[in-house]
Amino acid sequence: MKYEAVTIKDIAKALGLSTSTVSRALRDSYEISPETKKIVIEYAQQINYRPNPIALSLKEKRSRSIGIIVCEIANSFFSQAINGIESIAYDKGYNVIIAQSHESYEREIINLQYLASRSIDGLLISVSSETENLDHLINLHKRGFPIVFFDRVVEDLATHKVGVDNYKGAYDATTELIKNGHQNIAMVAGSEFLSITKERVAGYHQALSDHDLPFDANQIEYCLHGGMLYEEVENALEKLLYHNNNKPTAVIASADKLTTNCLRYFKSKNLQVPSDIAMIGFSNLDLTDLLSPSLSVIRQPAFEIGQVAIELLIKQIENKRPTTEFEKIILQPQMIIRESSGAKKS
Amino acid sequence: MKYEAVTIKDIAKALGLSTSTVSRALRDSYEISPETKKIVIEYAQQINYRPNPIALSLKEKRSRSIGIIVCEIANSFFSQAINGIESIAYDKGYNVIIAQSHESYEREIINLQYLASRSIDGLLISVSSETENLDHLINLHKRGFPIVFFDRVVEDLATHKVGVDNYKGAYDATTELIKNGHQNIAMVAGSEFLSITKERVAGYHQALSDHDLPFDANQIEYCLHGGMLYEEVENALEKLLYHNNNKPTAVIASADKLTTNCLRYFKSKNLQVPSDIAMIGFSNLDLTDLLSPSLSVIRQPAFEIGQVAIELLIKQIENKRPTTEFEKIILQPQMIIRESSGAKKS
DNA sequence: CTAAAAACCGGGAACGATTGCATAAATAAA
DNA sequence: TTTATTTATGCAATCGTTCCCGGTTTTTAG
C-alpha cells in the first residue's frame, strides 16, 4: 500500500501555474507577486503540502541525517550520550540513525557500510572493543567524510574527538581505595585495544606509584568484550582472586558492564562488599544508589559528551572548506563515593 | 565540505557506455552480454561504486526507513524492544529512525511530524503516557499510512498491535503477594490514559476479588508520567502509606521506572523490603537480581515484542493491496520470584 | 539468400524540487 | 512614440537511477 503525498506539481496544476512559480511562492521569493503568493500558500496549507525531503536531498547532495555507531543502546552511558546527541541534532534539523556494533568488529564494518550507503552526512562513533584495525574508518576519512569520535576515541585519525579524563577518573578511584586502607587493588579492565582502557590503566598505575604501592601486572585483567559477556568477567575475577599470590582486597571496574558483572560475581560467591572485597566502578547507571551496598562510581558526563560531539560534527558538515584544525575535548568525570569502596575487614 | 560519491554516470563515461547499460549490467539484466557485465561490475567494484539510496527512494517512492517513537531509549524495556526491531529491520534492508517523546504529548506530535516529513515508510509507536487525544495518529492512519502499535497500544485505531498480557502479569503478581500473606496490597500505576494501565489494574482487581479480598480504590495511585519523575512516585507512595486508613504491606509497581523509584523511596524512608513493605514490579532491568533484597519482577518479552511488531509493519508496507485485516498479538510476561515479594513482618 | 528472431545497447522520460535564464507584459523614461 | 526598465512568470536543466521504447547488429530458420 503506497501512501501518496501531495507534490508541487499538484499545486501547480490545480492553480494553473508552473512548478517554478509555486516553488518560488512557497519560498517567499521576491520575484512572485503578493497575490500569487497568497493563493499558493493558502492552497498548499489547505491540502497539507509538505516538501519531499528525498527530492531535496538528491538536489542538495545532503541528507540531513547523521549516523551513530555505538556498541549497545541498552547501556546507560550510551543511551544518555544519544540523548545528548538527539537534543542538539533535532534542533538543527538533522535526524540520527543509530546502529549497534554489539562490540563486534565485523558488525561495526557492516554498520558503517550500511550507514555510508544510506548517504549520511557525517558519523559519530564510539568504536567496538574489538576494533584494532581502522581501515574502514581511514577509508572514509581519506575521502573527506566527516567523522567525530566520542568516548572511545581513536588517536591515529585526524578528526574531532570528545571524551572524558579517563586517567583522572581511574586515578581518583584508586586513590579513594588507597585512602580507605586497601593496599592490594586489582583492576578489571576493558579491551586492551581501546585507548580509554590504556588511559584508565595509566591512571590506576600512577595512583599506586604516587602512594608508594607496587604495581603488579597480574592485578590487571582485560576483558575483550568490555564485560558484555558475564563469562569473561567471571574468568577475570577467578584469576584475580584465586589464581594470584597477591589476593586483592579491592577492585576497580573500568566500564559499565564490567561493574555490574563484577557485582553479579561477588553476589554469586557470597562475597560481602566492601568487607570481603571493596569496589568502585565506572558506571552511568541510574540506580547504583539503590544497590546494597550502594555503589561508589566514576560517572561520566554522557549527555554532555553527546552534545559536544554532535556540535562538532555539524560544524564540520556545514563548513564550506575542508576542516584542517581538529579539536580534542576532554570533559571531567565525577566521583561519587558511597558504601562499596569502604574499608576492608579489620 | 562535500563528500563526492561515484555515480553510474562516472562508470558510463569511463567505459564508453550509456547509463542505462551500466544500470542494467549492475542489476544483472538478461539484455546485457556477459562480457559487458563483467567489465562494468569489475570496474564498479574497483572504484567502490554504491548506488545512491536517495535517488532510488525518489524513484521508488519509498525510503526503506521506518520511524520508531518511544518515551525513552534509556529504559530497559524500550532499548530491548528496539534491539528486537533492529535485528529484523536491518536484515530486511530497512533502517530505523528513533525518536523519543519523553512522555510528552507535545513532543510526540512534533516527532511524528518530523518523521512523516522525513518520508518514512511506516511507524512503530508506543504512545506517551500523556497521550489521550489521538488526532495526530488518526490523520496519518486515514491516509493509509502503515502504523503498528507496540506495548502501549491504542484500541481505537484499526492497526496491527503487539503487546503483552498485562492482565495476567498483574494478576499473577497480586496472587503471589496474597499467597505470601499480604492482605493489603497497593498499586502504583502508570498513566490512566494508557490501556496497559487499565489492563494491569484490572488484573490486580480480579486477583483480589478471586481471593475474597476487598478492592479499595484508594489503594491505587496513578502517575501521569509513568514514574519518569521521582516526585510523582514519592507523592503516590506518601498517599498510599501515610494518608490512607488502610496501610498496605505490599506494593505492585506497574512499570519499569515506577519500580525503581518505589525502591528509591523505600530506601530513603529506611523501609525494609519485604519485611516493612513487600514489592513486586514490572521491570525489564538486567540487574534486578543484584539489588538487596533481590527484586521480584514481571518481565516482558521486550525483544520479541519488537521483532513481532516490525515484522507486521514490514508485511503491511510491502503489501500491494491495502491491509484490511489487522492482528493483535499478545505475548506472555514472565514472573520471576525473588526476595522482595516475601512475607510481611510477623 | 532472405526474413524473422534474438541479442545487445542507447536515448530519453520520469521521480520532486530548485534555479539560472528567457520571455512576456506592463510601466517608466526620453 | 520609442526605448529602457521593471515585474511576473515559464522553460528547462539538474541531482542519480530505472525502465520503456526504439534501433542496430548478429544469429537462426526456412
Side-chain angles (χ1 to χ4, degrees):
Chain A
M1 174 60 194
K2 285 245 173 59
Y3 163 78
E4 299 290 345
V6 178
T7 77
I8 223 168
K9 269 188 201 165
D10 300 328
I11 302 179
K13 203 177 293 172
L15 264 41
L17 292 167
S18 75
T19 58
S20 27
T21 306
V22 174
S23 171
R24 272 186 274 251
L26 291 171
R27 320 204 109 239
D28 201 26
S29 161
Y30 67 97
E31 302 183 277
I32 305 295
S33 71
E35 303 87 58
T36 314
K37 271 185 196 168
K38 189 158 170 288
I39 297 172
V40 171
I41 290 170
E42 274 176 4
Y43 184 73
Q45 209 149 35
Q46 187 194 318
I47 62 172
N48 197 31
Y49 166 79
R50 306 255 164 232
N52 182 330
I54 295 194
L56 282 173
S57 290
L58 184 59
K59 189 135 189 32
E60 312 250 322
K61 296 197 173 210
R62 55 190 306 222
S63 60
R64 293 197 79 86
S65 64
I66 62 115
I68 306 180
I69 298 182
V70 294
C71 56
E72 297 267 345
I73 60 170
N75 173 311
S76 340
F77 173 79
F78 290 111
S79 55
Q80 289 162 20
I82 289 171
N83 280 353
I85 293 169
E86 286 202 316
S87 68
I88 305 276
Y90 276 64
D91 276 356
K92 303 214 172 178
Y94 285 81
N95 71 331
V96 301
I97 301 176
I98 303 167
Q100 305 185 68
S101 68
H102 298 285
E103 303 289 20
S104 150
Y105 173 60
E106 213 176 310
R107 293 197 61 163
E108 178 173 302
I109 291 182
I110 293 172
N111 282 329
L112 191 59
Q113 287 176 340
Y114 184 80
L115 288 176
S117 85
R118 301 301 302 191
S119 54
I120 52 172
D121 293 342
L123 175 72
L124 287 172
I125 183 169
S126 190
V127 294
S128 94
S129 59
E130 281 184 4
T131 303
E132 198 186 1
N133 185 318
L134 299 171
D135 290 346
H136 54 310
L137 293 166
I138 292 173
N139 259 325
L140 273 179
H141 182 250
K142 270 197 310 204
R143 288 185 281 165
F145 191 80
I147 303 177
V148 171
F149 289 97
F150 71 103
D151 184 47
R152 301 175 177 180
V153 305
V154 163
E155 295 300 344
D156 320 13
L157 247 63
T159 65
H160 293 308
K161 303 177 179 91
V162 186
V164 295
D165 193 337
N166 292 297
Y167 176 90
K168 182 168 186 304
Y171 187 94
D172 290 351
T174 311
T175 305
E176 171 67 19
L177 291 169
I178 296 172
K179 278 200 301 191
N180 289 341
H182 297 279
Q183 309 247 330
N184 269 313
I185 303 170
M187 183 166 205
V188 180
S191 161
E192 264 187 287
F193 300 144
L194 299 176
S195 60
I196 59 168
T197 302
K198 292 175 195 151
E199 292 162 25
R200 289 175 190 180
V201 169
Y204 157 80
H205 195 338
Q206 188 63 44
L208 290 181
S209 111
D210 283 359
H211 293 84
D212 299 319
L213 289 173
F215 171 74
D216 176 359
N218 289 324
Q219 297 285 52
I220 302 185
E221 282 294 327
Y222 295 96
C223 296
L224 176 59
H225 299 98
M228 212 180 57
L229 309 169
Y230 177 68
E231 288 69 28
E232 62 175 352
V233 180
E234 186 177 29
N235 285 338
L237 286 168
E238 291 281 340
K239 275 198 198 161
L240 290 171
L241 295 177
Y242 303 114
H243 304 284
N244 191 340
N245 324 336
N246 214 6
K247 189 170 171 172
T249 62
V251 169
I252 296 177
S254 91
D256 241 297
K257 300 268 172 184
L258 292 170
T259 304
T260 49
N261 275 333
C262 279
L263 285 178
R264 190 161 279 126
Y265 177 83
F266 296 150
K267 179 146 185 164
S268 78
K269 294 287 176 181
N270 253 313
L271 292 169
Q272 294 304 310
V273 178
S275 57
D276 291 330
I277 183 108
M279 86 164 291
I280 184 165
F282 280 75
S283 179
N284 271 58
L285 266 173
D286 281 325
L287 35 58
T288 43
D289 58 324
L290 291 181
L291 297 163
S292 289
S294 57
L295 195 65
S296 299
V297 294
I298 304 295
R299 192 183 170 85
Q300 306 182 63
F303 191 86
E304 289 77 13
I305 290 176
Q307 289 191 313
V308 172
I310 184 75
E311 274 173 350
L312 286 173
L313 183 64
I314 292 179
K315 204 171 79 181
Q316 184 177 351
I317 290 172
E318 298 187 344
N319 228 0
K320 306 277 179 296
R321 294 187 306 260
T323 311
T324 51
E325 300 262 309
F326 294 99
E327 298 183 48
K328 174 162 186 177
I329 294 177
I330 305 291
L331 303 181
Q332 287 307 308
Q334 178 192 9
M335 179 159 67
I336 304 171
I337 301 301
R338 301 206 187 89
E339 295 164 1
S340 71
S341 55
K344 62 179 170 176
K345 203 155 36 183
S346 46
Chain B
M1 175 59 194
K2 285 244 174 61
Y3 163 78
E4 299 289 349
V6 178
T7 78
I8 225 167
K9 269 189 201 164
D10 301 327
I11 301 180
K13 203 176 293 170
L15 263 40
L17 294 167
S18 75
T19 58
S20 20
T21 305
V22 174
S23 172
R24 271 186 277 251
L26 292 171
R27 323 203 108 239
D28 202 25
S29 160
Y30 67 97
E31 302 185 277
I32 306 296
S33 71
E35 302 87 58
T36 313
K37 272 183 195 170
K38 189 158 170 287
I39 296 172
V40 171
I41 291 171
E42 274 177 3
Y43 184 73
Q45 208 148 37
Q46 187 195 318
I47 61 172
N48 197 32
Y49 165 78
R50 307 256 164 231
N52 183 330
I54 296 193
L56 282 173
S57 292
L58 183 59
K59 194 131 203 355
E60 314 241 320
K61 296 196 173 211
R62 58 191 303 223
S63 60
R64 295 197 79 87
S65 62
I66 63 117
I68 306 181
I69 299 182
V70 295
C71 56
E72 296 268 344
I73 59 169
N75 173 312
S76 339
F77 173 79
F78 290 111
S79 56
Q80 289 161 19
I82 289 172
N83 279 354
I85 293 168
E86 285 202 316
S87 69
I88 304 276
Y90 276 65
D91 276 355
K92 302 215 173 180
Y94 285 81
N95 71 329
V96 301
I97 301 176
I98 303 167
Q100 305 185 68
S101 68
H102 297 286
E103 302 289 20
S104 152
Y105 173 61
E106 212 176 311
R107 293 198 60 163
E108 179 173 303
I109 292 183
I110 293 173
N111 281 330
L112 191 59
Q113 287 176 341
Y114 184 81
L115 288 176
S117 86
R118 301 301 301 192
S119 55
I120 52 172
D121 294 342
L123 176 72
L124 287 173
I125 183 170
S126 190
V127 295
S128 94
S129 59
E130 283 184 3
T131 302
E132 198 185 1
N133 183 317
L134 298 172
D135 290 346
H136 55 308
L137 293 166
I138 292 173
N139 258 325
L140 273 180
H141 183 249
K142 270 197 308 205
R143 288 186 281 164
F145 190 81
I147 302 177
V148 171
F149 289 98
F150 70 103
D151 185 46
R152 301 174 177 181
V153 305
V154 164
E155 295 299 343
D156 321 13
L157 246 63
T159 65
H160 293 308
K161 303 176 179 94
V162 185
V164 295
D165 193 339
N166 292 296
Y167 176 90
K168 182 168 187 303
Y171 186 94
D172 290 350
T174 312
T175 306
E176 171 68 18
L177 291 169
I178 296 173
K179 278 200 300 189
N180 288 343
H182 298 279
Q183 308 247 332
N184 269 312
I185 302 170
M187 184 166 202
V188 180
S191 161
E192 265 188 287
F193 300 144
L194 300 177
S195 60
I196 59 167
T197 302
K198 292 174 196 154
E199 291 163 25
R200 289 175 190 181
V201 168
Y204 157 79
H205 195 339
Q206 188 62 44
L208 291 180
S209 110
D210 283 359
H211 293 84
D212 299 320
L213 290 173
F215 172 74
D216 176 358
N218 288 326
Q219 296 285 52
I220 301 186
E221 283 293 329
Y222 295 96
C223 297
L224 177 59
H225 301 285
M228 213 180 55
L229 309 169
Y230 176 67
E231 288 69 28
E232 63 174 353
V233 180
E234 186 177 29
N235 286 338
L237 287 168
E238 290 280 342
K239 274 198 200 159
L240 290 172
L241 294 178
Y242 304 114
H243 305 284
N244 190 342
N245 324 335
N246 212 5
K247 188 170 173 175
T249 62
V251 169
I252 296 178
S254 93
D256 241 298
K257 300 266 173 187
L258 292 169
T259 304
T260 50
N261 274 333
C262 279
L263 284 178
R264 189 162 278 125
Y265 177 83
F266 297 148
K267 178 144 186 166
S268 77
K269 293 288 175 181
N270 252 314
L271 292 170
Q272 294 304 310
V273 178
S275 56
D276 292 331
I277 181 110
M279 87 164 290
I280 183 165
F282 279 75
S283 178
N284 271 60
L285 265 173
D286 279 326
L287 33 59
T288 43
D289 58 323
L290 291 181
L291 297 163
S292 289
S294 57
L295 195 64
S296 300
V297 295
I298 303 295
R299 191 184 171 86
Q300 307 182 63
F303 191 86
E304 290 77 13
I305 290 177
Q307 289 191 313
V308 172
I310 184 76
E311 274 172 350
L312 286 173
L313 183 64
I314 291 178
K315 203 170 78 181
Q316 184 177 350
I317 290 172
E318 298 187 344
N319 230 0
K320 307 279 181 293
R321 297 186 305 262
T323 311
T324 51
E325 299 264 307
F326 294 100
E327 297 184 49
K328 175 162 186 179
I329 293 178
I330 306 291
L331 303 181
Q332 288 307 309
Q334 176 191 11
M335 180 160 66
I336 304 172
I337 301 301
R338 300 205 187 89
E339 295 165 1
S340 71
S341 55
K344 61 179 172 176
K345 203 159 29 187
S346 47

